[in-house]
């Protein structure tokens, strides 16, 4: 997808119903119109991208599961000002306190 799709901000998601793939983009005409940029990744490789970049993958046809790892870096001075805007997912927060 467009290398600038992360500038759209957080877009609506919904449950995917696919084992091992918890979310998918909600139907959206704007996102559907984004140009795709296919990138073939060799087995054992990884892909790094901005957390808001629109992305997808073909179905996993191997017997081995895919793995996902999310790192979110932010200043220790960041504070939640509107909890209603946080996703309902529960991720652990790890890090040193100042």
């Amino acid at each position: 997808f467009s290398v600038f799709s992360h500038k759209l901000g957080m877009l609506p998601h919904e449950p995917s119903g696919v084992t091992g793939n918890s979310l998918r983009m909600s139907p959206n005409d704007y996102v559907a119109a984004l140009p795709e940029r296919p990138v073939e990744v060799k087995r054992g490789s990884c892909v790094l991208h901005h957390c808001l970049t629109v992305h997808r993958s073909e179905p996993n046809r191997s017997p081995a599961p895919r793995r996902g790892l999310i790192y979110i870096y932010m200043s220790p001075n960041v504070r939640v000002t509107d909890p209603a805007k946080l996703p309902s997912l529960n991720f652990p927060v790890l890090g040193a306190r100042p």
Side-chain angles (χ1 to χ4, degrees):
F1 288 94
S2 169
V3 294
F4 301 108
S5 63
H6 66 286
K7 293 183 178 183
L8 299 173
M10 177 66 93
L11 298 170
H13 286 69
E14 62 189 19
S16 71
V18 176
T19 302
N21 186 9
S22 60
L23 297 173
R24 70 176 182 187
M25 297 291 299
S26 298
N28 181 311
D29 291 337
Y30 184 73
V31 172
L34 288 172
E36 288 192 45
R37 176 182 272 170
V39 176
E40 188 170 335
V41 180
K42 292 181 182 180
R43 181 179 59 199
S45 296
C46 72
V47 176
L48 301 174
H49 55 80
H50 190 284
C51 62
L52 295 178
T53 298
V54 175
H55 62 282
R56 68 177 186 90
S57 62
E58 295 295 322
N60 181 10
R61 293 186 173 90
S62 80
R66 286 186 179 144
R67 290 174 173 71
L69 179 62
I70 299 171
Y71 285 103
I72 301 172
Y73 294 96
M74 61 186 74
S75 164
N77 299 322
V78 170
R79 299 291 178 260
V80 174
T81 58
D82 186 353
K85 292 184 178 180
L86 292 175
S88 61
L89 303 173
N90 184 15
F91 293 107
V93 175
L94 307 173
R97 297 224 177 240

